[in-house]
Amino acid sequence: MESGRVQKLSIDQMNENKRVIVIGAGASGYFAAIRIKELCPTAEVVIMEKTGKTLAKLRISGGGRCNVTHDVTGNAQLLEHYPRGKNFLKKVFYRWGVPETRDWFEKNGVELKVEEDGRIFPVSDSSETVAQLLEWRAKKLGVELMLNSSVVTIVPMPKDGFYRWQINTNTSGSEMATDVVMAMGGFPKLSQYNMVASLGIEIVTPVPSLFTFNINETTLHDLHGVAVADAKVKLVGYPESYNGPLMVTHWGISGPAVLKTSAWAARWLNEKAYVNTVLVSWVNLSEEELRQQLNENIRSNPKKMISNLGLDGVPKRLWDFILSRAQTPVSKQSADLSKYEFNKIVENMIRMPFEVDGKTTFKEEFVTAGGISLTSVDSNTMAIKSQQGLYATGEVLDIDGVTGGFNFQAAWSTAAILAEAIAKQ
């Protein structure tokens, strides 16, 4: 095919000559490649991956179980789990949401199960089940995989030629493509988006999301491993609070309640250099409800030592810690508690303050708030508005969800939408 000449091809000829390069062998990249081949079998599809591994993050996600998606009753509820990208995803989820995701995986042999908290995992409880399906399906459909191929530049070609893009790598030279899918995941540094920004695409400065809170208090660290099922976390100065399971770690506090807080307050915490006061309610009760429960316990057990009184859902080690924080003698009988001591216990149950001094981010949960600005992307096709034949999917976009399968759902959905667009163009 001579360069510099307009090629007049039929739609069938175009599809036969279509060559799509997907940059990134993660969840969204693999799913995009598979769906393109399912919808347009004659297209040549190539996945280029800078490392020697595929689906690395998927394999370690969810503690090695892969939280595929979440069992929500409708898109309105689903959208509430995205701190960034909610409005953009409305159209996307309408066309490919949780039901379509579950249906695709189960039709392709991965049986799924819903856990009590709504998270959906493979019945095998192994992320390898999901990874192997994606790898097998891509190979069966004829998707080519190029490992250790780091893309250096994406160069637009003259508009009168058939191939619209030239992909230059650090190892395998140059590859030509009619369409390019950017599925390289999120980056922690703005400079890592230079290749994308050079194409005139707006980038929202990335900051970490989904991280735990470091608290330099040894008495708290001594409780490591203690967990409560429904705590509430509130950052002083931030308007919202978030509830869910919470666990004490060797370095501070973790669990869904903390991860939700870090996701929604990601930019706010970044501006404060991750130093702030956090108030922890160990039970998700109002102050009035807590007072009623404690008073009822005391009336029912007046001769019990306060250390043996406790509260439903509060482990004994944590209860002793609360009493210590409230400066209440553990040997006192419940009926002998003074009003001051009672109030101090209540205060430390529902507003125990800790000084946050930094964060800890785990590779399996690492998500960025930031990336390709959604104003640059067509939500109907996932195409970059300013560049014909260039698409984006997954975490490279300024979309992120809380923990629980929501980030994977955004990856599956955005990949499915762009695959349909590429097949139909």
Side-chain angles (χ1 to χ4, degrees):
M1 196 176 294
E2 296 179 27
S3 61
R5 293 179 57 192
V6 176
Q7 303 296 326
K8 294 184 178 180
L9 304 174
S10 68
I11 291 177
D12 287 342
Q13 287 174 318
M14 286 189 211
N15 283 337
E16 287 174 6
N17 288 277
K18 189 179 304 232
R19 188 168 197 259
V20 184
I21 290 181
V22 179
I23 304 172
S28 60
Y30 253 92
F31 200 61
I34 290 168
R35 288 297 293 157
I36 292 167
K37 287 292 285 184
E38 287 179 340
L39 297 171
C40 186
T42 57
E44 181 183 356
V45 181
V46 181
I47 298 176
M48 302 185 73
E49 167 59 37
K50 67 180 179 179
T51 71
K53 298 179 181 179
T54 62
L55 300 164
K57 187 173 179 180
L58 181 146
R59 283 187 155 92
I60 60 175
S61 68
R65 295 199 298 149
C66 186
N67 187 179
V68 176
T69 184
H70 200 98
D71 183 39
V72 289
T73 56
N75 286 343
Q77 183 183 353
L78 176 61
L79 289 164
E80 292 303 317
H81 295 86
Y82 293 88
R84 284 149 291 272
K86 174 181 174 180
N87 291 332
F88 182 90
L89 289 169
K90 282 182 182 178
K91 288 183 180 179
V92 175
F93 288 153
Y94 177 77
R95 292 167 58 192
W96 187 286
V98 172
E100 289 79 10
T101 296
R102 295 180 67 173
D103 185 61
W104 188 89
F105 276 101
E106 291 183 334
K107 280 184 177 178
N108 282 280
V110 174
E111 190 178 353
L112 302 173
K113 64 175 180 178
V114 181
E115 301 202 336
E116 286 186 11
D117 60 3
R119 293 181 299 166
I120 296 178
F121 291 91
V123 169
S124 65
D125 274 331
S126 172
S127 58
E128 279 302 312
T129 305
V130 179
Q132 288 174 14
L133 164 64
L134 294 174
E135 290 174 334
W136 170 83
R137 185 69 178 145
K139 187 175 182 179
K140 183 179 181 181
L141 290 168
V143 174
E144 182 183 350
L145 177 65
M146 297 176 63
L147 297 175
N148 299 305
S149 296
S150 181
V151 176
V152 179
T153 54
I154 306 171
V155 182
M157 299 299 289
K159 292 184 179 180
D160 57 358
F162 180 71
Y163 289 109
R164 294 187 287 219
W165 297 97
Q166 178 176 306
I167 308 298
N168 300 314
T169 72
N170 63 346
T171 51
S172 56
S174 300
E175 298 286 337
M176 305 302 293
T178 55
D179 303 274
V180 173
V181 176
M182 296 182 291
M184 58 279 278
F187 299 116
K189 297 179 181 177
L190 184 60
S191 60
Q192 292 173 289
Y193 288 92
N194 285 347
M195 178 181 71
V196 180
S198 69
L199 296 169
I201 301 169
E202 182 184 351
I203 303 297
V204 178
T205 302
V207 299
S209 180
L210 294 185
F211 48 83
T212 64
F213 294 164
N214 295 352
I215 296 169
N216 295 322
E217 187 172 325
T218 54
T219 54
L220 176 67
H221 299 171
D222 290 341
L223 293 177
H224 66 85
V226 166
V228 292
D230 195 12
K232 185 184 291 183
V233 174
K234 173 78 167 66
L235 292 164
V236 174
Y238 190 76
E240 303 295 334
S241 60
Y242 302 94
N243 68 288
L246 183 146
M247 182 174 69
V248 180
T249 68
H250 289 284
W251 59 89
I253 54 175
S254 183
V258 175
L259 295 174
K260 280 186 204 175
T261 305
S262 74
W264 287 97
R267 294 200 175 278
W268 188 86
L269 281 166
N270 180 260
E271 291 172 0
K272 296 187 174 299
Y274 306 101
V275 175
N276 191 250
T277 301
V278 62
L279 303 178
V280 174
S281 175
W282 299 103
V283 288
N284 188 18
L285 298 173
S286 69
E287 183 170 340
E288 182 181 353
E289 290 171 332
L290 176 61
R291 286 180 178 277
Q292 287 176 352
Q293 285 196 22
L294 280 175
N295 274 320
E296 180 60 34
N297 276 8
I298 291 170
R299 281 194 296 268
S300 302
N301 305 281
K303 294 185 178 181
K304 260 191 178 183
M305 285 196 304
I306 191 64
S307 63
N308 294 326
L309 187 67
L311 201 68
D312 288 343
V314 178
K316 178 66 165 60
R317 287 169 61 199
L318 175 58
W319 177 248
D320 288 344
F321 179 71
I322 291 166
L323 295 178
S324 174
R325 273 293 196 102
Q327 299 177 324
T328 301
V330 295
S331 59
K332 261 198 171 187
Q333 287 189 340
S334 299
D336 293 334
L337 272 182
S338 68
K339 184 177 180 181
Y340 173 81
E341 289 168 335
F342 182 88
N343 288 337
K344 288 288 285 184
I345 292 173
V346 169
E347 183 68 19
N348 279 277
M349 281 287 293
I350 62 172
R351 282 184 292 270
M352 186 179 286
F354 296 103
E355 297 306 312
V356 177
D357 185 18
K359 59 179 171 49
T360 296
T361 305
F362 298 98
K363 288 182 179 179
E364 65 267 26
E365 297 291 356
F366 181 75
V367 173
T368 54
I372 294 176
S373 171
L374 300 181
T375 60
S376 301
V377 185
D378 184 346
S379 60
N380 293 303
T381 62
M382 303 311 301
I384 302 298
K385 294 175 183 177
S386 62
Q387 301 284 355
Q388 191 175 14
L390 184 62
Y391 302 81
T393 178
E395 288 182 24
V396 74
L397 297 161
D398 184 24
I399 293 173
D400 63 287
V402 298
T403 185
F406 300 103
N407 286 296
F408 273 130
Q409 183 58 55
W412 311 132
S413 295
T414 53
I417 296 304
L418 74 83
E420 185 178 334
I422 290 174
K424 286 183 175 181
Q425 68 175 324

